[in-house]
Each structure stands twice: as C-alpha cells, then as structure tokens.
Amino acid sequence: MAATVLTTLSTSPLVLNPSSSASVVDLASKGWKESLSASYSSSTSGNWSWDASDQSVPSTPSPPLSNDAGKSFLLSSQSDDNNEDTESTHFLFEDPIPRKRKNSMKVMFKCLWKNCEKVLSTSSGIQRHIRTVHLGRNGDSDYSDGEEDFYYSEIEVNMDTLSEGLSNLTPTSPTTSGPAPVFPVLTCDASRSEPARMIHTPLSQSAPSALCHIRTDHAYQATTPVSIPSMPSEPPHSEDRISVSWQSPPVIYKGLPGPMTQIRTVSIGEKRQPVNHTTVSKAHTNNTSASKATTGTRKPRGEAKKCRKVYGMEKRDLWCTACRWKKACQRFTD
DNA sequence: TTTGCCGGGGA
DNA sequence: TCCCCGGCAAA
C-alpha cells in the first residue's frame, strides 16, 4: 500500500514541491495506517468535536475515485497543512462537484438525533457516530445501509466566526435571536427506523439559526430512491415513504417575520445573496425584512399556483381574466 | 429560462 | 372599461 502510494506520488504532477516529500514519506510510512483505522471521537459532552482522523468514506454516493489517486491527493494535501487535511479530504471524497470555497467556510456534519448536537468534520465520522451511538450497530464495521444519512445534515461553518460563535454557543441554546428553533422531531422512541424517514422534514426547519446554514441535501436524497441502498429487510413501501417526505419548502417559512433570506443569520457564508447582504452585522438579523421594499411597490410573488401554471398556455380560456390580461391572478390568490 | 404581473396603451 | 402586451424582477 505504502509503496503504491509512494509510486503514485513520485509520478503525480501535483507534488510540485520536493521539500514536502519528506513529510509525505513520513506520513506514508507511519501515518496512513492510523488515519485509516478511523478512531472516531466518542465524546458526548462537547458539541463541537473535530474528527480529524477519520478519512474513510464507506457509504457516500461519490463517484468512484481511484484509491491510489485519492491517496496521493490526500497525502500531498496533508503535507501542506495538517489542519486542512480533513477539509481537503472531504473536498476530494465527499463532493463530486468541487465546492466553492468562500472565505473560510468549512463543511461540518451535524447529528440531528434528538438531543444530540454532535458535529463532526467528516461524513463518515458522523455516520459512524449515528451507527454506533444511535442505531446501536457495530461501530467497527464500515457497512452502511444509508440510514445514517437521514440523521445528520451537512452544515457550513464560517471559520472566521466559529471561534467567536464557540464562545457563545451553549448546548441548550445555540440560537442568538429569533424564535426558538424546533429541532427535528424524529420520534425515535415510537418506532425509530421506519417512520423517521417519513417524518423527516426539510432540514431548514430545524436549522439552528445562529451559526449554521443547513443545506437541504437530504431533500434530494429523499426524493431520489436510487440513493438509498437496497436492504433485504427493507419494506416494499420505501419509495412511497420517501416521496411523502418531500413537502413544499415554502411552507416552512410561513409565520416567520420576513422572507427566508432574512432569517438566515450572518455568520454563515453568504451563498445565495449578492453584494447587498454580505456586510450585514451580527446584530442586524431578523428585522431587515423591509429591505426588499426598496425595490419598489411590486408585491412579492405568491406561492400559489396561478392559472397559467394550472391550466397551461393551451387552456388559456380557462384562466381568470386577470391572468389573461397579465394582471395579478384573482383565482389563485395568496 | 420561466413565470407573475405592473404599467402603459389601443380600441 | 375591456383587452393586450412590453418588460421587469423573482423564482
């Protein structure tokens, strides 16, 4: 294995700096074995535990990556900065599409299990955590049926503000403002594995609003039955169950004071918003919902289906007159 | 790119 | 007043 790695490294164009080869050799000779035997942190007290040693990714849908090539990438990146290795590993192994790195964003994986806020830096780590701690499975086995995917979510953490956030973060109240977050009610006690998927709501509903912007990757997984490895014991309703879990996302934000962009707080990367909101301060969180009014008196587009959407262009005679005249729909009002 | 609809204008 | 449509902005 080590010889293969070294051979790959010697031919890899990525190793441009000869001075780094020493550490590479060092890592290859003694470090890789340790890094492969994933020792996940089983601390239950800390909400922010950093699992830097875990680099095996047993059950991700990533495209197959050559082991040798992956190792060479991994080792060469390790030689640069040890703190970066988990991210670069994640960068290489987790995402088929290279993630845009903005400032110092870091992708973490947060356990969504009730009363468990464990955050790990690798998906395999969080999967193993869920497998062993919550699902009661053998932690040594890398076998995964994919169920763990439903119990953790990917979050992006701005490392610039993480240290600040850590000082304020408490296990019981991770929010700084706004309504108390509703953590995912997975009803694990009733019947854990089966209905949990069905009940699993879009993750943004459970987003702790202080530091995390939870991506809705699981919505994709939920609507894509292919992504769930088939299991012999899996009941035949799995697809029905999965499709039910996809609710219309805008429902989540009803009753909240402003557009959804306003409930996102500041310390997380501004992925969706253009220039206007990037410099907003921490105290400037929820009550800026009127900022959109600066664009004019145009009322925001409603969520309801309109005549055009419902009937289509070919049945335009069924539209309400307002829709026919390109006015605000009167039939499907909001 | 599609969709909702404002604002304006013709009949 | 009815009807149509250019064009803007949100999705």
Side-chain angles (χ1 to χ4, degrees):
Chain A
M1 183 64 177
T4 310
V5 168
L6 287 173
T7 306
T8 311
L9 279 172
S10 65
T11 59
S12 169
L14 284 167
V15 183
L16 298 175
N17 187 3
S19 66
S20 67
S21 58
S23 58
V24 168
V25 170
D26 185 51
L27 277 167
S29 61
K30 68 178 184 181
W32 68 274
K33 205 165 188 176
E34 297 165 8
S35 66
L36 282 181
S37 65
S39 64
Y40 104 95
S41 161
S42 64
S43 75
T44 54
S45 59
N47 292 294
W48 294 88
S49 58
W50 299 75
D51 188 359
S53 63
D54 192 350
Q55 281 134 13
S56 64
V57 182
S59 64
T60 52
S62 314
L65 190 64
S66 160
N67 231 3
D68 292 340
K71 276 297 169 193
S72 70
F73 275 95
L74 169 64
L75 290 173
S76 59
S77 65
Q78 273 180 337
S79 66
D80 288 330
D81 185 359
N82 216 19
N83 289 334
E84 281 289 309
D85 60 354
T86 54
E87 169 145 357
S88 53
T89 306
H90 171 271
F91 187 79
L92 289 164
F93 283 85
E94 298 295 329
D95 264 345
I97 302 165
R99 186 185 309 280
K100 273 186 191 172
R101 292 194 54 185
K102 261 189 175 177
N103 300 331
S104 52
M105 298 299 297
K106 186 175 182 68
V107 176
M108 305 292 288
F109 297 89
K110 180 179 174 64
C111 179
L112 294 175
W113 202 271
K114 201 176 179 180
N115 295 329
C116 178
E117 299 176 13
K118 192 169 187 62
V119 176
L120 296 179
S121 59
T122 62
S123 66
S124 57
I126 197 71
Q127 283 178 357
R128 191 173 294 102
H129 160 78
I130 291 165
R131 256 199 322 272
T132 56
V133 177
H134 299 310
L135 299 180
R137 294 179 186 167
N138 185 6
D140 296 334
S141 167
D142 275 347
Y143 170 75
S144 165
D145 58 5
E147 185 174 358
E148 304 89 344
D149 293 345
F150 294 93
Y151 300 116
Y152 73 89
S153 68
E154 196 174 326
I155 62 177
E156 292 179 359
V157 178
N158 190 335
M159 299 307 288
D160 288 341
T161 57
L162 178 59
S163 55
E164 184 181 354
L166 276 173
S167 63
N168 299 328
L169 199 62
T170 63
T172 53
S173 62
T175 58
T176 57
S177 65
V182 180
F183 273 80
V185 183
L186 293 178
T187 60
C188 350
D189 45 353
S191 48
R192 181 182 44 75
S193 58
E194 285 305 318
R197 289 183 187 176
M198 184 165 61
I199 293 168
H200 194 83
T201 54
L203 296 168
S204 48
Q205 187 174 10
S206 63
S209 60
L211 283 173
C212 307
H213 165 220
I214 298 191
R215 290 146 43 93
T216 55
D217 292 3
H218 294 272
Y220 160 74
Q221 290 179 342
T223 52
T224 311
V226 188
S227 70
I228 298 177
S230 63
M231 213 169 62
S233 61
E234 193 80 358
H237 321 54
S238 59
E239 290 192 15
D240 295 336
R241 206 178 55 226
I242 291 159
S243 61
V244 165
S245 70
W246 175 245
Q247 303 290 335
S248 179
V251 175
I252 301 163
Y253 304 103
K254 278 189 175 171
L256 289 174
M260 64 167 286
T261 53
Q262 304 304 326
I263 66 169
R264 295 188 315 114
T265 47
V266 286
S267 37
I268 225 60
E270 300 292 342
K271 225 175 163 180
R272 299 152 44 96
Q273 284 300 314
V275 280
N276 281 350
H277 291 235
T278 53
T279 57
V280 64
S281 69
K282 270 206 168 180
H284 192 221
T285 51
N286 283 359
N287 40 13
T288 59
S289 56
S291 64
K292 291 280 179 183
T294 60
T295 58
T297 58
R298 197 185 191 98
K299 63 179 183 181
R301 183 181 295 188
E303 299 170 2
K305 290 250 189 302
K306 306 296 179 186
C307 296
R308 178 189 177 112
K309 202 77 170 280
V310 171
Y311 301 111
M313 287 295 288
E314 62 275 8
K315 292 178 184 174
R316 195 176 171 178
D317 50 344
L318 296 177
W319 294 9
C320 66
T321 51
C323 279
R324 271 187 275 123
W325 300 346
K326 293 173 77 172
K327 301 294 181 189
C329 181
Q330 293 169 340
R331 185 173 296 165
F332 303 102
T333 55
D334 294 318

